Amino acid sequence: MNKDFWKCLFCWLETASVDEIRDKQRVVRQMLGQTRDPDFKADIRRILRFMDEEILARAELANLMRMSVSMPR
């Protein structure tokens, strides 16, 4: 996959909702099971890893925001 694809993926990850990311993860996981090309499988795993990282980062940020709001001043 070329550099432009990765740029588009990162832009999409920044703007997509968590539900949209999870929906796309399902589609990408299906692709993983359907391909035999090792290089393509590696790219798909990388895409899934970036999606997981984005979801985790958002969850951690939401947790930090909740903690900062609940802390006494």
Side-chain angles (χ1 to χ4, degrees), residues 2 9-10 12 17 23-25 28 41 43-45 47-49 53 55 61-62 66 68:
N2 65 25
L9 176 67
F10 291 126
W12 177 78
S17 69
D23 289 342
K24 194 64 74 176
Q25 275 182 318
V28 173
K41 280 189 171 207
D43 284 340
I44 292 172
R45 286 188 192 102
I47 292 166
L48 290 169
R49 189 169 51 250
E53 288 174 3
I55 291 170
L61 180 61
R66 278 192 300 274
S68 69

Side-chain angles (χ1 to χ4, degrees), residues 1-57:
M1 301 202 177
N2 65 25
K3 189 165 58 171
D4 289 333
F5 169 81
W6 295 107
K7 285 181 185 178
C8 288
L9 176 67
F10 291 126
C11 287
W12 177 78
L13 283 172
E14 289 179 3
T15 59
S17 69
V18 172
D19 289 336
E20 289 173 320
I21 296 171
R22 287 188 178 129
D23 289 342
K24 194 64 74 176
Q25 275 182 318
R26 286 185 209 100
V27 173
V28 173
R29 280 195 180 97
Q30 288 175 347
M31 291 172 59
L32 184 62
Q34 295 171 353
T35 187
R36 298 183 192 276
D37 182 283
D39 292 332
F40 190 52
K41 280 189 171 207
D43 284 340
I44 292 172
R45 286 188 192 102
R46 186 175 178 202
I47 292 166
L48 290 169
R49 189 169 51 250
F50 287 135
M51 289 177 170
D52 287 338
E53 288 174 3
E54 181 65 24
I55 291 170
L56 180 61

Side-chain angles (χ1 to χ4, degrees), residues 56-69:
L56 180 61
R58 291 181 188 195
E60 289 176 355
L61 180 61
N63 189 34
L64 287 172
M65 297 297 286
R66 278 192 300 274
M67 288 174 53
S68 69
V69 169

